[in-house]
Amino acid sequence: MDTAIPKTAVDYIHSLGRFSGKPGLHRIRALCAALGDPQDGLKFVHLAGTNGKGSTACMLDSVLRAAGYHVGLYTSPYLVQFHERIRVDGTMISDADLTRLSARVEQACKELTLPEGEQIGEFEFTTALGFLYFAEQRCDIVVLETGLGGRCDATNVIRAAEACVITPISRDHMAVLGDTVAKIAAEKAAIIKPACAVVCADGQPDETLPVIRRACDAAGAVWYDGMQDMQLLRCDIMGSAFVRGGQGYTIPMPGRHQLQNAQTALRTLAALRERGWNIPQEAEVRGLARARMPGRLERMSDQPLVLLDGAHNAAGVAALTRTVDEMLKMRRLLVVMGMVKDKEYAECIYEMARRADVFFACSPEADARALPAQTAAAIAEQHCAEVYDCHTVERALGQALEKAAPRDCVLVCGSLYLIGEAEKILRTRQKTAE
């Protein structure tokens, strides 16, 4: 690969851009074919939905590894490092492997004949590279998360899946996926493959279920309801404990929405068992207890309590505020928040600002779609008495930590790019303090 400009494989991949032409699978199909269709030799659990995909995928990956399987995990976006998106047995792809496989995919791209004005985009390139890596690593199964939607998402190039999982659906990316929840559901349900098990998360809007069931029937897939009962024992900022089918489980990720994700994961695992996968209950217990998802109410310190949460759309913020109301109501709340312009940012800022004792507005530097901190501050001022326009994440975090008492909570939320920046800053501060 040309290493002059850009300097690294990651720089090159980013230079390809988010959008590459007319929506469709024709580009990724051509690229995978040029690479020998590495995805055809792999087995998948494929996930689509608006919220909960990442956490559910993390839980599935952890349990399958606890069961002794060699597991690939493909997620997006990343928080701190691009390599997070492609993992095998919990370990990120190495820089050497990323560079080597990028060169191979780049060469294949050069040999393609695509419609005029179209090219391979960043997500298509990364997806093909991930398939190559998982095939090289001889993964027993790959937990595959869609990037955007489902029907035209590059991950939907796969021809078969062991299970297709639909996590909670809400309004998001409406310009691309449709202006109603039913239309969005149809796009996401298009990942359903013939003869696969279909697992649908609880709590879906009423108008989505008929759409998903029709897609399941049309594909000749098998709808899997599975066990529904769950007795909650504990749900606090340290995580949750529950009993299901007479077996006790713990999950370290806090929030009632994570209980819903755990239920979805356990039903998916039961569906896989029915298809012949050996997943002992003990592996479920160990796997869920070990599952941790960066940037999902991630606890960075205790005095003050510092939490990071990538709630970046209305449904995500609704889940976050439920947790705030239930678990943080006795603490003074300092909110550091930054959003992107193509989300329902006004509603999200309103919900957080009206709960905040102090609000620090900032703008995620890594995203061209970033909402100006000044705009976020102006909205927050209508609902919170003490608001600061901090511009950068670093300045916002610094001011919040200066103002926070040991019993307070500093909650960093909004764009996942912002969460990644915040995590870098906080990790650096911790190393410096040591």
Side-chain angles (χ1 to χ4, degrees), residues 79-414:
L79 286 183
V80 176
Q81 189 177 358
F82 179 88
H83 305 59
E84 297 168 23
R85 296 176 63 173
I86 302 170
R87 299 174 185 258
V88 171
D89 294 342
T91 300
M92 294 185 292
I93 187 172
S94 69
D95 199 52
D97 284 330
L98 184 67
T99 300
R100 174 178 58 82
L101 292 175
S102 290
R104 185 172 167 190
V105 178
E106 182 187 7
Q107 184 58 44
C109 290
K110 290 177 179 178
E111 296 170 0
L112 296 180
T113 301
L114 297 175
E116 186 176 352
E118 296 193 11
Q119 62 178 17
I120 297 296
E122 176 177 346
F123 190 73
E124 291 161 330
F125 189 102
T126 307
T127 301
L129 190 153
F131 290 149
L132 277 177
Y133 186 63
F134 297 138
E136 278 191 358
Q137 295 294 308
R138 298 184 179 180
C139 291
D140 297 315
I141 193 166
V142 174
V143 180
L144 184 69
E145 180 188 341
T146 56
L148 173 61
R151 185 186 309 278
C152 296
D153 189 82
T155 62
N156 205 29
V157 72
I158 67 172
R159 293 184 171 90
E162 295 294 292
C164 289
V165 182
I166 309 296
T167 66
I169 293 171
S170 61
R171 290 179 175 85
D172 199 11
H173 298 291
M174 290 183 287
V176 179
L177 302 179
D179 57 1
T180 68
V181 172
K183 290 178 181 177
I184 294 169
E187 290 296 311
K188 295 180 184 294
I191 70 164
I192 295 173
K193 302 293 187 293
C196 75
V198 176
V199 177
C200 186
D202 296 333
Q204 298 282 4
D206 291 341
E207 59 266 46
T208 66
L209 283 174
V211 174
I212 299 168
R213 289 299 296 256
R214 283 197 299 271
C216 176
D217 294 341
V222 180
W223 187 268
Y224 189 86
D225 281 316
M227 188 184 298
Q228 303 291 327
D229 76 293
M230 180 183 282
Q231 179 189 353
L232 181 63
L233 302 178
R234 171 179 62 84
C235 185
D236 55 34
I237 204 63
M238 303 299 291
S240 298
F242 61 93
V243 175
R244 182 179 186 271
Q247 175 64 57
Y249 297 88
T250 61
I251 50 175
M253 294 184 279
R256 289 187 181 272
H257 57 290
Q258 296 295 1
L259 291 165
Q260 182 184 64
N261 293 332
Q263 177 81 291
T264 304
L266 287 168
R267 291 218 302 264
T268 304
L269 293 160
L272 290 174
R273 266 197 297 272
E274 288 198 3
R275 296 175 69 89
W277 293 84
N278 182 20
I279 306 168
Q281 193 170 62
E282 182 268 340
E284 292 181 335
V285 173
R286 281 191 296 121
L288 286 186
R290 294 173 180 174
R292 285 169 174 79
M293 185 69 180
R296 303 300 193 276
L297 275 172
E298 181 181 8
R299 196 171 80 256
M300 300 296 292
S301 68
D302 292 321
Q303 291 187 333
L305 177 64
V306 178
L307 300 173
L308 306 182
D309 193 88
H312 60 280
N313 57 31
V317 167
L320 174 58
T321 54
R322 284 195 296 272
T323 302
V324 169
D325 294 344
E326 184 177 339
M327 300 178 189
L328 301 174
K329 59 186 176 184
M330 301 304 292
R331 294 178 185 259
R332 182 166 172 261
L333 185 65
L334 296 86
V335 173
V336 174
M337 190 170 190
M339 296 287 293
V340 293
K341 291 179 285 191
D342 60 357
K343 301 290 181 181
E344 299 159 306
Y345 62 81
E347 179 181 347
C348 295
I349 294 168
Y350 159 73
E351 291 293 348
M352 297 311 304
R354 73 187 185 92
R355 289 170 168 82
D357 294 287
V358 191
F359 190 99
F360 303 86
C362 55
S363 184
E365 297 175 17
D367 197 332
R369 303 167 296 152
L371 181 75
Q374 184 179 9
T375 304
I379 297 169
E381 283 170 353
Q382 301 173 44
H383 314 289
C384 179
E386 189 174 351
V387 175
Y388 298 91
D389 176 358
C390 300
H391 188 62
T392 67
V393 182
E394 187 161 16
R395 189 178 303 164
L397 260 178
Q399 290 188 22
L401 292 170
E402 283 178 12
K403 288 182 174 291
R407 281 288 303 160
D408 293 346
C409 175
V410 175
L411 173 59
V412 186
C413 59

